[in-house]
Amino acid sequence: MSNMGNQLISNVFKALAHPTRIQIVKLLRNGELCVCDILPNLDSEQSNTSQHLTVLKNQGIVESRKDGSKVIYSIKNKEVYEMIDLVEAIILRQIEETKTSLSK
Amino acid sequence: MSNMGNQLISNVFKALAHPTRIQIVKLLRNGELCVCDILPNLDSEQSNTSQHLTVLKNQGIVESRKDGSKVIYSIKNKEVYEMIDLVEAIILRQIEETKTSLSK
DNA sequence: TTATTATATTAGGAATTGCTAATATAATAA
DNA sequence: TTATTATATTAGCAATTCCTAATATAATAA
């Protein structure tokens, strides 16, 4: 029923379900970057990074264009930052809860 | 560095990265439900559903309380609905894009 | 042309996730 | 107590994801 919808929705979450991919998205917050500038900021091999970029691209989170021999990536759907902010809010609340439950 | 942060963030996304878990969250949009009322709305075995509920609970997305022999689940961090709305916006835009690119 | 730089793709194995079937636990009912 | 209902846990296997190492491709430089 709305089952296909849930599949599509979970695919987007899945694309964000990896620390390296979160890091990539964060790196692009201040504007586009070529792969060559992304790579040194990550703790991940070139081929692995390329695969992570493909995952993000397949879900429409980032897009890319070619510039000479370089490939420039940028954020395609900026909602992703609001999503990350919401997750951070959840995590902060969870941490608070843990703290208060420990101090009892 | 902020690496632990990205791990925590991606853990939350991971919890939402399954169609059944999205469905569960949607079912809880109108209020708490016991497992017995969740089950018939899902296309998933009892033990499997129980495991999915545990995943959501571990990431603080839902919480549960006991009521007699039943266990009642509810949403703990309602930001999750804003997140789903944002994902749906991304998907709709992607679909529009696909449509216009096909009609060219 | 040959070499170099930038990026992508592929294959294969390791690690993780997801599912089913069986069993366990806990509360209530008979 | 015994049975039943509601839910959780566990083990083991299937499916998926992740990573590395190797190779491919494409653009530019020499």
Side-chain angles (χ1 to χ4, degrees):
Chain A
M1 206 69 55
S2 81
N3 206 4
M4 190 188 72
N6 292 337
Q7 183 65 256
L8 290 179
I9 292 168
S10 62
N11 284 345
V12 174
F13 284 120
K14 199 179 301 183
L16 294 169
H18 193 288
T20 300
R21 295 196 290 265
I22 296 293
Q23 177 89 35
I24 291 171
V25 168
K26 285 183 174 179
L27 284 172
L28 295 174
R29 192 153 205 168
N30 299 314
E32 60 180 22
L33 287 174
C34 66
V35 180
C36 54
D37 285 335
I38 294 173
L39 276 171
N41 285 293
L42 294 180
D43 202 24
S44 169
E45 301 258 321
Q46 180 268 320
S47 96
N48 194 9
T49 301
S50 183
Q51 292 172 65
H52 284 307
L53 285 167
T54 299
V55 170
L56 291 171
K57 191 172 169 178
N58 284 340
Q59 292 309 313
I61 295 166
V62 304
E63 61 193 345
S64 69
R65 64 184 172 82
K66 230 176 175 218
D67 177 23
S69 68
K70 300 189 174 177
V71 177
I72 316 280
Y73 279 84
S74 58
I75 291 295
K76 184 172 188 186
N77 281 290
K78 56 196 173 350
E79 286 89 348
V80 84
Y81 293 114
E82 300 175 56
M83 291 173 63
I84 290 176
D85 290 347
L86 289 167
V87 171
E88 287 177 343
I90 292 176
I91 293 171
L92 285 183
R93 194 165 321 121
Q94 291 291 115
I95 289 175
E96 279 313 307
E97 187 190 88
T98 306
K99 277 204 284 189
T100 60
S101 82
L102 280 181
S103 67
K104 273 192 304 193
Chain B
M1 205 70 54
S2 82
N3 206 3
M4 190 188 73
N6 292 337
Q7 183 65 257
L8 290 179
I9 292 169
S10 62
N11 284 345
V12 174
F13 283 121
K14 199 180 302 183
L16 294 169
H18 194 287
T20 300
R21 294 196 290 267
I22 296 294
Q23 177 90 35
I24 291 171
V25 169
K26 285 183 174 178
L27 285 172
L28 295 173
R29 192 153 206 168
N30 299 315
E32 60 181 23
L33 287 175
C34 65
V35 180
C36 54
D37 285 334
I38 293 173
L39 276 171
N41 285 293
L42 295 180
D43 202 27
S44 169
E45 300 259 322
Q46 180 268 321
S47 97
N48 194 10
T49 300
S50 184
Q51 292 172 69
H52 283 307
L53 286 166
T54 300
V55 170
L56 290 170
K57 192 172 169 178
N58 285 339
Q59 292 308 314
I61 294 166
V62 304
E63 62 194 344
S64 68
R65 65 184 169 81
K66 231 175 175 218
D67 176 23
S69 69
K70 300 188 174 177
V71 177
I72 316 282
Y73 278 84
S74 57
I75 291 293
K76 186 173 186 187
N77 281 289
K78 58 196 171 350
E79 286 91 346
V80 85
Y81 293 114
E82 300 176 57
M83 290 173 63
I84 290 176
D85 290 347
L86 289 167
V87 171
E88 287 177 344
I90 292 176
I91 292 171
L92 285 182
R93 195 165 321 121
Q94 292 291 116
I95 289 174
E96 278 315 306
E97 186 190 272
T98 306
K99 276 203 285 190
T100 59
S101 82
L102 280 181
S103 69
K104 273 192 305 194

